[in-house]
Amino acid sequence: MESVEEMRAAHAGRLTSLRVHGPFHGPSGYDHHVREFTRELVRQGVAVQLIDLPSWSSVKLPPPMRDSWFDELQRPLDAEMTLHFCMPHQVENDRQTLNVNYTMFEATRVPDAWIERNLRHDLVVVPTESSRQAWLTTGMPEERLRVSPLGIDPDIYGKPAEPLVFRTQAGRPVLDYTTRFLNVSELGPRKNIVGLLHAWLDATRETDDAILLLKLGRYAPGWFELLLLQMRQLEDRVGRRFVDAAPVEMLLDLLPDADMPRLFAAGTHYISLSHGEGWDQPMVEAAASGLRLIAPAHSAYLAYLTRDTATLLPSREVPARFEGDPELQALFAGANWWEPDHDAAVAAIRAAIANPTTGPLGARDLVLREFTWEHATAGLIDVLTAVLDK
């Protein structure tokens, strides 16, 4: 692995300054990778002016979790390029610079209006081939697209962490369970938490030595209340109650980045039944933490998981549906996402409970070797430099 000094030397005389426009005060995935890319850009010798996108979300990190260093980067800077981290319709072109949009999508095609907006930009950068195909399918010229992955911090996730110690609502220590499934998601239909709970309800019994830990972000009003309603409806539809299944523990508190490795260390398996991902940062962090992974074989997961390193579940394309959210339904109109196979998910959960130390394991080495923020940022610098060189 190249050192930071070697990377700085390699980029000497190339990209030296950059305006970065995106959210960085909140807990969302976009906020997170804006902070990480910015931190690493500066480490690799690029001067950055960081411009906030406050409209991204009304939910912000509490002051003790914020790093004031990022606010110090908001000073004006003379740069040739602005890198926007947001959805295409949110980009406000800087007329004084070149404009590049780093974005992603979680379905088979992007909105037609996004193509029109992105054609006004000098380049679109996405983290995986799945997102690139979504733009190509909708009509974006291939020469206006580049793939540049996201990353993880090996100093945080590459070292052993002391497991987070907590108890279930019934008072039993979580670490007493032999098989501990973890999922970290922002609430919403795309994450398919209801599908995961359905698989859990069918796969487990109250006597199983297993627990499902759901670390849920409640950033959009009403989604948590809707989930509780959907759980009651699921019980009625399946004919079983969650009290008759292995326990499900919901973790709703916001954790600082430094505590996330401890949360992953409290699990033995990481499971997702998401309908589609632009990246899925928690899955990559779980891989780096050494957990056994269960994921659907679609979208971003195929960029860093194989059948040798994870239990991959078959999935089929279905129309994307955001019932109860007209704005998101309009965004995904005409697009498909993926339905993970329910029976395969049930079988994977049962197999992990029966034999918790068997199954694919090995994504950790790949992630720590190829998907670090140092490498991700060096690759992004190469992409942006090519735009400057045109």
Side-chain angles (χ1 to χ4, degrees), residues 193-203 234 237-238 242 342 346:
I193 297 301
V194 175
L196 174 56
L197 289 168
H198 186 185
W200 187 258
L201 200 55
D202 281 353
L234 179 61
R237 188 167 73 250
V238 173
F242 280 102
H342 174 78
V346 169

Side-chain angles (χ1 to χ4, degrees), residues 19-205:
R19 292 177 185 171
V20 174
H21 182 208
F24 64 93
H25 285 125
S28 77
Y30 267 77
D31 289 271
H32 180 263
H33 67 245
V34 168
R35 290 192 293 267
E36 294 299 332
F37 266 133
T38 297
R39 183 181 287 115
E40 190 59 34
L41 281 164
V42 173
R43 277 170 49 86
Q44 294 190 29
V46 179
V48 172
Q49 177 186 353
L50 188 54
I51 305 166
D52 192 19
L53 184 65
S55 61
W56 181 260
S57 173
S58 61
V59 180
K60 308 299 179 186
L61 292 171
M65 292 188 188
R66 295 187 189 181
D67 187 340
S68 61
W69 177 78
F70 291 103
D71 292 308
E72 297 172 7
L73 300 178
Q74 297 186 78
R75 67 202 182 289
L77 178 68
D78 185 20
E80 297 181 69
M81 178 182 291
T82 301
L83 176 60
H84 303 267
F85 287 99
C86 57
M87 292 183 284
H89 65 274
Q90 297 171 314
V91 174
E92 297 181 5
N93 275 8
D94 188 327
R95 297 181 182 274
Q96 299 178 332
T97 70
L98 297 168
N99 290 272
V100 175
N101 183 201
Y102 192 110
T103 187
M104 63 190 73
F105 204 56
E106 302 91 357
T108 55
R109 58 177 288 122
V110 302
D112 292 332
W114 281 17
I115 302 298
E116 179 185 348
R117 290 300 297 266
N118 276 152
L119 287 173
R120 304 176 196 174
H121 310 147
D122 296 280
L123 191 70
V124 178
V125 183
V126 294
T128 67
E129 179 63 20
S130 174
S131 282
R132 191 180 82 95
Q133 289 299 324
W135 260 262
L136 289 174
T137 297
T138 319
M140 191 70 182
E142 187 173 3
E143 65 272 14
R144 305 286 289 276
L145 285 164
R146 294 292 183 275
V147 174
S148 190
L150 296 170
I152 55 96
D153 185 342
D155 289 335
I156 295 178
Y157 292 99
K159 300 175 181 178
E162 189 71 24
L164 203 61
V165 177
F166 53 102
R167 294 176 178 269
T168 66
Q169 292 184 359
R172 180 175 173 180
V174 165
L175 296 180
D176 279 2
Y177 292 90
T178 299
T179 311
R180 303 180 295 276
F181 297 84
L182 175 65
N183 176 276
V184 180
S185 293
E186 179 179 346
L187 275 174
R190 180 175 58 81
K191 291 294 188 177
N192 195 25
I193 297 301
V194 175
L196 174 56
L197 289 168
H198 186 185
W200 187 258
L201 200 55
D202 281 353
T204 68
R205 300 294 180 266

Side-chain angles (χ1 to χ4, degrees), residues 301-381:
Y301 296 122
L302 299 180
Y304 49 81
L305 298 180
T306 69
R307 298 194 182 281
D308 292 331
T309 61
T311 298
L312 293 179
L313 308 175
S315 304
R316 62 186 180 94
E317 285 190 23
V318 297
R321 297 175 61 89
F322 274 92
E323 294 178 359
D325 193 319
E327 184 177 348
L328 283 174
Q329 186 59 60
L331 199 64
F332 282 78
N336 288 345
W337 58 20
W338 297 267
E339 182 70 32
D341 186 87
H342 174 78
D343 292 340
V346 169
I349 292 170
R350 290 300 315 160
I353 294 173
N355 298 289
T357 60
T358 62
L361 184 64
R364 183 176 188 272
D365 291 342
L366 172 69
V367 167
L368 292 175
R369 184 176 66 249
E370 298 185 15
F371 292 102
T372 67
W373 284 115
E374 283 188 357
H375 276 77
T377 305
L380 182 59
I381 289 173

Side-chain angles (χ1 to χ4, degrees), residues 257-280:
D257 289 347
D259 278 353
M260 288 303 293
R262 299 186 62 207
L263 175 63
F264 287 114
T268 59
H269 295 69
Y270 191 90
I271 184 169
S272 168
L273 298 187
S274 171
H275 287 306
E277 291 295 332
W279 182 252
D280 198 346

